[in-house]
Amino acid sequence: MLFVLSALPSVPGPSFPFADKVGHLGLYGILGMGLAWGAWRTGRREPLRMISLGVLYGMSDELHQGFVPGRHPSVGDLFSDALGVTAGYLLFSLILNGLSGRRNDKDSQ
């Protein structure tokens, strides 16, 4: 979905100050959640590696936008991407760890 949105000459959406940055933050937050889910499901607790993977995707996305007419790469967008991936990963990891802790408590009773 991120690639498809990046390939559009312009992305329709709400118009308010920093709407573009909020959009990047939200979409990359979802990516971060997906990375946290995958790490949790596989038992691989490597947050730095997973967050880096999301940020690298954000970098490639910004580079991709440089080839789309009407779009351009932006360091501000990349910062929003990185913040979104990090926040999404960490928040969802906390939720998943809390849920697995409750499950383990029930199993031990």
Side-chain angles (χ1 to χ4, degrees):
M1 185 61 141
L2 292 170
F3 185 83
V4 169
L5 288 174
S6 290
L8 297 175
S10 66
V11 179
S15 178
F16 58 87
F18 305 107
D20 177 48
K21 304 302 180 249
V22 172
H24 279 262
L25 187 74
L27 290 171
Y28 277 84
I30 294 169
L31 175 61
M33 289 180 195
L35 291 168
W37 174 258
W40 185 77
R41 292 283 296 164
T42 61
R44 297 186 69 157
R45 304 297 194 265
E46 299 173 337
L48 187 57
R49 183 177 293 189
M50 299 306 286
I51 291 169
S52 295
L53 184 65
V55 173
L56 284 171
Y57 184 81
M59 291 171 73
S60 72
D61 184 44
E62 291 304 314
L63 180 65
H64 168 240
Q65 286 183 25
F67 296 99
V68 177
R71 302 293 291 269
H72 63 278
S74 163
V75 173
D77 287 350
L78 178 58
F79 180 76
S80 295
D81 299 345
L83 188 61
V85 166
T86 303
Y89 185 93
L90 295 176
L91 289 173
F92 204 59
S93 290
L94 287 172
I95 292 168
L96 292 170
N97 290 334
L99 292 175
S100 66
R102 287 187 193 151
R103 187 179 319 140
N104 291 339
D105 289 345
K106 288 180 182 179
D107 292 343
S108 63
Q109 292 179 355

